[in-house]
Amino acid sequence: MAKKTLSVVARKKSFRNWIYGNLTCFSQEHMQTFGYLASMLPVVEDLYEKDEDKVEALSTYTTFFNTEPQIGTMVVGLTASLEEARANGESIDDETINGLRAGLMGPLAGLGDSIIVGTFIPILLGIALGLASGGSVLGPLFYIVAWNLIMYFGMKYAYNRGYSLGSSAVEALVGSESESLRSSIVMIGTMVIGSVAATWINVTTSLNIAGVDIQATLDGIFPKALNLLFVYLCWWLMTKKKINPTLVMLILVVVALVGVLVGVFNPGLSY
């Protein structure tokens, strides 16, 4: 029997289904399950001829799946490679594939959140905010174009890399050598968030006690101290008190309003 090889057309369709539909029918119960299933449809169609074989193969991808969509694209490419191997008679079963998917989705979610959400998006937004100063349309245009181009080609690379590496991608992604990379990325992401907070948040006080300008005193001891205080307050409310971000924003509005009315904050308070 001739060896079955997943066609380039099928891989392109699989990638397209994932990039546009990874959140298809998203719910708290299934998360990205159906988006993943949609991305594997072209793969299964290309590798199997009998309908019963297609149904059996697709049933593998009905189990729960959820990860960071961009970095997680590598898992889709990886399972496409494993499905190709299974179609050629290699000893790969549902348990093996789902074990790899379940084992990778958590670490990749942490890696993706650190790189994409915690580092890359804040950097892009910081640049866009700078370009948008004075009401320039360059800011939003830059972000839309830059994000979509980098996201598309980055995800395409991740898919193809996962497909080419096959099962060897597992060690590269969750092995001991990747731990230092993840720790470094988390550190960089934390520094980026701190830089954004120091640059774009502007909390100042108009308090003057016994002739002492409190804001000037704070600036001399610890510049941006109030910025840090408000960022820490938001973190404490959301992580320790489990208050959702919308309610936290409402709390900040009330604090700002009351603070300005009683003369604690300057009317130019922004965050």
Side-chain angles (χ1 to χ4, degrees), residues 8 16 23 47 52 61 69 76 87 91 102 104 127 131-132 172 199 228 232 248 267:
V8 175
R16 182 192 61 200
L23 298 180
L47 292 173
E52 55 267 30
Y61 306 100
V76 185
S91 56
L104 286 172
I127 297 172
L131 292 174
T199 303
L228 175 63
Y232 182 83
V248 170

Side-chain angles (χ1 to χ4, degrees), residues 126-182:
I127 297 172
L129 286 169
L131 292 174
S133 60
S136 174
V137 73
L138 286 177
L141 285 178
F142 165 80
Y143 182 80
I144 292 170
V145 173
W147 165 250
N148 281 283
L149 284 176
I150 297 173
M151 177 193 68
Y152 176 83
F153 288 107
M155 291 176 73
K156 189 173 184 179
Y157 173 80
Y159 183 96
N160 291 331
R161 189 63 175 165
Y163 175 77
S164 63
L165 286 175
S167 58
S168 64
V170 177
E171 178 62 27
L173 292 171
V174 299
S176 57
E177 293 182 359
S178 67
E179 182 63 34
S180 58
L181 174 62
R182 290 196 295 271

